[in-house]
Amino acid sequence: EAPRAPWTEPSPLGSLIPAVVRRIRVKEDSWQDTLMDEWPAIIGADLARHTRPGRVDGRALTIFVDNSVWLNEISRYHRKRVLTAIQTRLGPGKVDSVVLHLDPDR
């Protein structure tokens, strides 16, 4: 049988919360909430009417587009501007690329 760990005084619950939060990777700065809440202001009302931010995989943001015409338009003419606008609003290190897909919910 393995030796038992030495007994220690219990810690107050409040002192354990920061470690638990770090462990489950909850961030105080919820930039994804900002992205959702400010989407029209970030990319512009016209594009926002046809798009929505989706999942984040690493530093790649998936943007869902409501139809193939707008998907092509954004891919060809607006991708760089959209990425720059997102990076400007969220700051460095959050999103390095955007991936465009047709919206499966529309």
Side-chain angles (χ1 to χ4, degrees), residues 16-79:
L16 300 176
I17 291 174
V20 171
V21 169
R22 278 192 302 277
R23 180 172 273 168
I24 61 173
R25 299 176 188 198
V26 173
K27 298 179 182 178
E28 291 177 26
D29 172 18
S30 181
W31 61 268
Q32 293 173 341
D33 288 341
T34 299
L35 185 65
M36 296 296 284
D37 294 343
E38 299 180 16
W39 187 245
I42 293 170
I43 69 162
D46 288 340
L47 291 180
R49 277 193 290 277
H50 299 282
T51 61
R52 66 180 175 94
R55 64 187 171 273
V56 178
D57 185 16
R59 292 186 179 173
L61 169 67
T62 297
I63 298 174
F64 293 113
V65 185
D66 65 359
N67 65 60
S68 59
V69 173
W70 275 100
L71 179 67
N72 185 48
E73 175 80 12
I74 295 167
S75 294
R76 295 181 76 193
Y77 303 111
H78 303 287
R79 181 189 298 262

